[in-house]
Amino acid sequence: MPKSKRLMELMMTVNRKRRFKVQELADEFGVSKRTILRDLQELSELGVPLYSEVGPHGGYQVVRERVLPPIAFTEEEAVSMFFAVHALRHYASLPFETESASALNKFYLHMPGDVRDRIDGMKHRVDFVTPARRGDAPCLAALLDAAVRQQVLSIVYVSAEEGEHDRRIQPVCIYANNGLWYCTAYCFLRSGFRVFRCDRIREAVPDPAGTPPRDLGEVALSRREAAEPIDPVRLRAELSRAGVQRCEAELWLAPMLDVREDGSGTIDRDVPASDLPFYADFFLGLGMGASVQEPEALREAIRSKLSDLLERYK
């Protein structure tokens, strides 16, 4: 095997193993220990962070912040990946903001000059429009880490109804929609799943009370509807084709839709009674695209809001 190819495969192997002995690599690559030691020295000089431990249980190990092996991209793949990351610039906050900017800069600078010229020409010809939002979401990284680790957080949350208050939540996922970040989480105050606006979360730290986390390993991004609502009421609404299209744009609502062949649809789902004020505002915004059949409390809330609007515009 040519040395260049062996070094490339060795780099991928040590990144995969993380911890290894020289003899293991020598046996795997069919070379002597002396050759592997020289190869490891070259990898270290190239920037692969290795360190050795002596003793009967010693060996080599790759430090946690390891360097990934180089990957060959076609020109089309490189351009598409650049713009995939470039599109995130519209968001005021990202859970990995510094890292994404650094990665994009490295990616761009290491491209051939003609590919950079092509990207420069495309920057003003293609875009992924996302509404610009005021304010940032400083706790995105903490929310994402807690969702991965299934940890309970103590947060300071600001809402129009309750003002600034404390909550204990266990995040399930975060997602971006229409220029805003949202966090789906189990709320220990409401004893159920809720969706929180991440820009309204002012602080998020590990719960000092040590609340035991729930087993939410099976609740994924596409299954936020998995939990049964507390104090449920039946929500039933008819949607026109335009109403369905508006609802499909809302990631939290899409799983509740039942779409017919002609493009119209229905919503027929139990929802928490405490969420009816939110649904009143939402369906009011759909205008003629939706018609709520029940519950009557929701219909009354919509009528009340319409009456207030009529009074305002007299």
Side-chain angles (χ1 to χ4, degrees), residues 6-311:
R6 187 177 70 245
L7 284 175
M8 183 70 69
E9 292 189 6
L10 182 60
M11 181 182 293
M12 291 186 288
T13 298
V14 298
N15 271 282
R16 185 182 70 250
K17 287 179 175 293
R18 297 294 305 278
R19 190 181 184 91
F20 54 87
K21 294 182 181 297
V22 172
Q23 188 62 57
E24 295 175 8
L25 297 180
D27 294 340
E28 184 171 340
F29 285 88
V31 296
S32 66
K33 291 176 61 176
R34 185 185 298 271
T35 298
I36 288 295
L37 286 171
R38 285 199 299 265
D39 290 347
L40 291 175
Q41 179 62 34
E42 290 195 37
L43 290 185
S44 180
E45 293 172 357
L46 289 172
V48 178
L50 299 168
Y51 72 90
S52 60
E53 297 177 348
V54 298
H57 301 291
Y60 279 82
Q61 189 167 342
V62 184
V63 298
R64 187 174 185 273
E65 297 297 332
R66 61 190 188 278
V67 176
L68 299 179
I71 303 173
F73 293 105
T74 67
E75 182 176 330
E76 297 300 323
E77 289 172 339
V79 171
S80 65
M81 290 189 65
F82 177 88
F83 279 99
V85 180
H86 185 63
L88 297 174
R89 74 192 187 282
H90 293 297
Y91 284 91
S93 300
L94 294 171
F96 28 73
E97 190 164 3
T98 302
E99 294 81 358
S100 63
S102 175
L104 189 64
N105 188 51
K106 288 180 181 179
F107 202 55
Y108 178 80
L109 292 177
H110 284 80
M111 289 179 184
D114 59 327
V115 179
R116 290 202 302 270
D117 291 341
R118 181 183 177 192
I119 287 176
D120 291 339
M122 292 177 67
K123 281 182 180 178
H124 305 292
R125 298 292 180 266
V126 62
D127 199 3
F128 304 85
V129 177
T130 301
R133 302 291 187 176
R134 297 180 182 179
D136 59 357
C139 300
L140 285 179
L143 295 170
L144 177 59
D145 187 61
V148 173
R149 299 174 181 271
Q150 296 194 52
Q151 293 180 335
V152 178
L153 297 180
S154 174
I155 68 171
V156 177
Y157 191 69
V158 180
S159 66
E161 298 81 13
E162 302 177 65
E164 185 173 293
H165 59 284
D166 297 332
R167 294 274 189 108
R168 283 179 298 119
I169 66 170
Q170 184 175 336
V172 175
C173 63
I174 61 174
Y175 64 92
N177 183 46
N178 202 27
L180 294 171
W181 283 95
Y182 297 87
C183 174
T184 299
Y186 183 85
C187 177
F188 289 87
L189 177 64
R190 304 299 186 196
S191 299
F193 287 87
R194 294 292 186 273
V195 177
F196 297 89
R197 279 260 302 268
C198 294
D199 58 309
R200 294 177 178 173
I201 298 177
R202 304 303 189 202
E203 182 181 329
V205 297
D207 179 34
T211 303
R214 296 173 62 92
D215 184 8
L216 304 180
E218 297 301 319
V219 182
L221 184 65
S222 61
R223 292 185 56 205
R224 289 186 305 281
E225 75 282 8
E228 292 295 328
I230 302 301
D231 189 20
V233 293
R234 185 185 183 191
L235 169 59
R236 190 165 59 88
E238 285 288 330
L239 302 171
S240 67
R241 292 178 62 181
V244 168
Q245 291 173 358
R246 292 276 301 278
C247 290
E248 285 177 333
E250 301 291 338
L251 190 61
W252 59 270
L253 184 56
M256 300 170 63
L257 296 177
D258 183 11
V259 182
R260 304 186 183 99
E261 290 186 4
D262 64 356
S264 64
T266 62
I267 296 176
D268 191 346
R269 184 66 60 90
D270 285 344
V271 299
S274 59
D275 286 352
L276 291 185
F278 166 80
Y279 283 106
D281 288 330
F282 178 77
F283 282 108
L284 190 61
L286 293 182
M288 299 299 292
S291 175
V292 175
Q293 270 76 56
E294 57 179 309
E296 183 57 32
L298 178 55
R299 290 168 57 87
E300 176 57 34
I302 295 174
R303 286 194 293 266
S304 176
K305 289 178 179 292
L306 285 171
S307 178
D308 292 342
L309 281 173
L310 285 172
E311 186 66 26

